[in-house]
Amino acid sequence: MDILSGPARVMLVSDLDHTMVDHHDPDNLSLLRFNALWEAHYRHNSMLVFSTGRSPTLYKKLRKEKPMLSPDITITSVGTEITYGQAMLSDDGWEHVLNKKWDRKIVTEEASALSYLKFQSPTEQRPHKVSFYVEKEHAQEAITTLSDKLKDRGLDVKIIYSGGIDLDILPQGAGKGQALAYLLKKFNSEGKPPASTLVCGDSGNDADLFSVPDVYGVMVSNAQEELLLWHAENAKNNPKVIHATERCASGIIQALGHFKLGPAISPRDISDYSQCKTESFTPGHAVVKFYCLYERWCRADTENQEMLLQEIKSTLSPDGAIVHPWGAEQFFCKALEALGKSYGYKQEKQFRVWIDRVSTAQIHSDTWLVKFHKWELSGEEQRGCIASAVLQSKGGASDSFMWLHLHQTWLDGIENTDGSGWIF
Ligand code: GLC
Ligand code: MG
């Protein structure tokens, strides 16, 4: 994905485990609420940054397990690796900065002498990050001893304790906060600083993020003791940082609303779209809304079946057609017939649909080309396609768009050749 050409309206920088991703929410509902909000109202002019303690290997694993969006920038290994776009092109300039007073061999040597430190898996040992597990009772002692020893050997390191178990040793200039500061400086020098930045976290390695000057911050409701303690000692009177009352991604949505950074009602939470007038409607919003309605139909998640079908119908041009990912073409009216017969057919399947990477281009005064990725989870099966759609504004109410055409292609690695159970 291309980085925005202009300054971002919001640069949202979020930790993943227990912040963006709730490991105690098997339905991933708060994450899906965030996804719909982001793609409908932020994707076109804002920037999504994931900042995780995970190595690129474990980050990619998480992306396979959870319905996560594609970020514009990924910061892995506790702020020691910065990559851009879907291809994850690395910022070599950043890694170069981190070599100052750093020698991972010496770190490994000194840490090996402490019996209460256990090395984490090889994937989590990175060029500028050495990581261990240590029980709470030894954490403080480990930090003090290692700081002294490594200083004696000429290194300048940062030691971070997270989640009451993980101990990371990094170069002093590294960390999630420094990586963000580096990016902000870079965007500044390119003349496109984000209008506002929101950082989101739950544990020790996120404290760094909250120290970056001028950013808004949210500690999600389920934040760890070590982060809350850090906040009480260091940032208690900063009105730009809140402790949300909601967990994980729902806490992030709460913060967007609290700081008035933009729309804070997820399209998933709207039952009657005709009643919502306050949000900024875009073709991206129309796509997200359509698939929210589609998911409700397949799950039989509505009190008014007839109205829901009418709403879906009214957004599809009678002359339009869909080219399915397996190559068959079908008029919208035929697909609607199939849909009509399929009310609730995914009820038992924990069926979910989400949209990622929405991008739009205006091709005429009232017509847009919209590209997006669409994912369906049905039981154990997850399928995704890349889609192009042509949408036309109906005029009048600004959220009314008519689909003229939709073309889908299975995403790489999806092996389905037919489309059983796939309607839109
Ligand atoms: C992630 C990483 C781990 C690190 C922890 C805290 O869990 O996989 O290596 O110690 O985050 O930063
Ligand atoms: Mg976390």
Side-chain angles (χ1 to χ4, degrees), residues 287 291 321-323 332 359 368-374 385-391 403-409:
V287 170
Y291 281 107
I322 172 171
V323 178
F332 283 152
S359 72
W368 279 263
L369 174 67
V370 188
K371 285 187 284 177
F372 55 95
H373 288 195
K374 176 210 159 193
C385 71
I386 178 163
S388 307
V390 181
L391 267 69
W403 295 64
L404 303 183
H405 182 75
L406 172 61
H407 191 139
Q408 305 178 329
T409 305

Side-chain angles (χ1 to χ4, degrees), residues 15-21 51-53 162-163 176 200-206 220 222 224:
D15 167 53
L16 296 177
D17 295 288
H18 310 289
T19 302
M20 184 59 79
V21 173
S51 185
T52 177
S162 300
K176 290 184 175 190
C200 320
D202 77 294
S203 85
N205 70 13
D206 300 316
V220 291
N222 50 293
Q224 294 276 338

Side-chain angles (χ1 to χ4, degrees), residues 17 53-55 58 78 120 124 129 131 162 166-168 205:
D17 295 288
R54 291 180 180 235
S55 62
L58 287 194
V78 198
Q120 291 184 9
E124 300 317 280
K129 166 177 174 286
S131 295
S162 300
D166 296 316
L167 190 86
D168 301 314
N205 70 13

Side-chain angles (χ1 to χ4, degrees), residues 4 54 63 263 265 282 340 380 385 423:
L4 286 175
R54 291 180 180 235
R63 288 203 60 178
I265 299 175
T282 60
E380 295 287 291
C385 71
I423 301 175

Side-chain angles (χ1 to χ4, degrees), residues 1-231:
M1 185 186 310
D2 300 327
I3 296 287
L4 286 175
S5 50
R9 180 165 62 97
V10 177
M11 180 173 178
L12 192 148
V13 184
S14 180
D15 167 53
L16 296 177
D17 295 288
H18 310 289
T19 302
M20 184 59 79
V21 173
D22 191 344
H23 292 284
H24 300 282
D25 175 9
D27 296 330
N28 300 306
L29 268 185
S30 64
L31 180 55
L32 291 168
R33 288 177 66 224
F34 174 84
N35 291 358
L37 177 67
W38 188 262
E39 295 299 319
H41 297 296
Y42 290 87
R43 176 66 86 178
H44 61 287
N45 62 12
S46 295
M47 194 187 289
L48 184 61
V49 182
F50 288 163
S51 185
T52 177
R54 291 180 180 235
S55 62
T57 309
L58 287 194
Y59 164 68
K60 287 175 191 158
K61 183 166 172 276
L62 184 66
R63 288 203 60 178
K64 290 206 177 105
E65 293 162 358
K66 292 283 180 180
M68 291 159 58
L69 294 182
S70 307
D72 300 280
I73 299 179
T74 314
I75 303 171
T76 51
S77 312
V78 198
T80 62
E81 300 177 58
I82 300 178
T83 66
Y84 300 95
Q86 195 56 16
M88 293 184 73
L89 300 174
S90 68
D91 188 320
D92 301 332
W94 175 238
E95 297 195 31
H96 191 73
V97 168
L98 302 182
N99 288 330
K100 207 175 131 200
K101 292 197 174 180
W102 172 255
D103 185 333
R104 68 182 322 289
K105 252 205 205 129
I106 297 181
V107 175
T108 310
E109 219 174 275
E110 291 297 341
S112 305
L114 304 178
S115 61
Y116 45 76
L117 289 182
K118 281 208 184 74
F119 276 94
Q120 291 184 9
S121 76
T123 65
E124 300 317 280
Q125 313 302 340
R126 305 293 297 165
H128 298 99
K129 166 177 174 286
V130 186
S131 295
F132 304 89
Y133 296 121
V134 60
E135 298 301 334
K136 271 187 189 164
E137 71 231 53
H138 295 300
Q140 203 41 56
E141 186 191 340
I143 293 172
T144 320
T145 314
L146 277 170
S147 298
D148 292 347
K149 286 195 165 173
L150 293 173
K151 196 167 164 205
D152 286 349
R153 297 201 56 183
L155 303 195
D156 193 7
V157 300
K158 180 184 265 184
I159 305 178
I160 306 176
Y161 193 53
S162 300
I165 184 76
D166 296 316
L167 190 86
D168 301 314
I169 309 177
L170 322 169
Q172 185 58 251
K176 290 184 175 190
Q178 270 78 358
L180 172 57
Y182 171 85
L183 284 174
L184 287 171
K185 196 170 154 204
K186 184 171 147 150
F187 292 134
N188 241 326
S189 71
E190 290 168 358
K192 45 178 195 180
S196 33
T197 302
L198 173 66
V199 303
C200 320
D202 77 294
S203 85
N205 70 13
D206 300 316
D208 231 32
L209 285 173
F210 295 91
S211 321
V212 177
D214 296 327
V215 302
Y216 294 99
V218 54
M219 303 181 289
V220 291
S221 68
N222 50 293
Q224 294 276 338
E225 190 188 324
E226 76 249 353
L227 180 63
L228 297 175
L229 215 65
W230 175 88
H231 174 255

Side-chain angles (χ1 to χ4, degrees), residues 303-317:
E303 271 150 34
N304 193 334
Q305 189 181 342
E306 197 39 47
M307 205 173 88
L308 180 57
L309 190 59
Q310 276 317 316
E311 218 173 334
I312 295 174
K313 244 187 200 164
S314 69
T315 58
L316 298 172
S317 161

